[in-house]
Amino acid sequence: MMSVPPHPSKPIEEHVSLSGSGSAAVSTTGPSWWTVGNAVHASRRSLRMSQAELAEAAGISRRTVNNYEMGRVSGPGIPAGLVRVVAHLGWPEGQLEQLLGAAPERTPADDYRTVTDFADACVTAGADSRVRDIFLQTAQLLLEQAGVQVPVTEARGVADHPDGPGPKPDIP
């Protein structure tokens, strides 16, 4: 992701709609739209497109593309035209929201795979596999207490490990 210098603008309050997860009220400062504008400009230039070409592809006016690149966005939410622009530029889903500081909220289940990878990496680096097993059992207990279901393809038990089960965690 590119680094953009700060822009001297006043804070703004906006309502950003997040795809697939409802909406979240986000308080941002002016640099967010300015940062998005600079990223749109850089993406367009890297594709060797003119503002007019991008505008035509996104079904908006060249002036609107120019406004987006200058960080001038009015009204609440993310304009549909800007969503079409970044899609045409090939941005991955969520990048626009991330630049605005409104990345979709993560859940404990999203991080479970990272926890298991971390535990396995520690064993590979020399940690006791029984401690890994306790760690994974504790992670599964935390998920259960939070009422979070982990897909069966991601859930692992100590029987899945070649070293077999270790001691049970002493957790009430």
Side-chain angles (χ1 to χ4, degrees):
M1 194 172 298
M2 78 179 185
S3 175
V4 180
H7 185 268
S9 62
K10 296 180 180 179
I12 58 174
E13 184 80 17
E14 63 222 353
H15 191 263
V16 178
S17 177
L18 300 177
S19 59
S21 61
S23 63
V26 177
S27 176
T28 63
T29 57
S32 292
W33 286 117
W34 187 80
T35 300
V36 167
N38 275 287
V40 166
H41 176 82
S43 294
R44 178 182 60 78
R45 296 282 306 242
S46 73
L47 294 172
R48 298 188 183 337
M49 294 180 77
S50 69
Q51 286 183 342
E53 290 168 329
L54 180 56
E56 184 178 336
I60 58 177
S61 70
R62 189 213 52 84
R63 183 176 181 161
T64 301
V65 170
N66 181 264
N67 283 337
Y68 292 159
E69 289 187 1
M70 297 300 294
R72 293 190 293 250
V73 176
S74 60
I78 299 172
L82 182 56
V83 172
R84 289 192 307 271
V85 163
V86 300
H88 189 75
L89 293 172
W91 287 20
E93 188 174 331
Q95 184 173 347
L96 177 58
E97 290 88 350
Q98 184 178 22
L99 284 175
L100 290 170
E105 189 175 315
R106 293 184 61 83
T107 67
D110 294 331
D111 293 322
Y112 183 74
R113 183 76 218 152
T114 304
V115 167
T116 59
D117 290 345
F118 165 76
D120 290 340
C122 288
V123 170
T124 300
D128 187 332
S129 64
R130 294 172 297 176
V131 175
R132 175 206 47 214
D133 295 341
I134 293 169
F135 182 75
L136 292 176
Q137 289 172 353
T138 303
Q140 290 172 352
L141 180 61
L142 282 169
L143 289 172
E144 288 172 20
Q145 288 181 349
V148 176
Q149 291 291 328
V150 176
V152 175
T153 57
E154 292 185 29
R156 292 187 6 191
V158 293
D160 297 332
H161 299 291
D163 299 331
K168 299 280 186 216
D170 185 20
I171 301 173

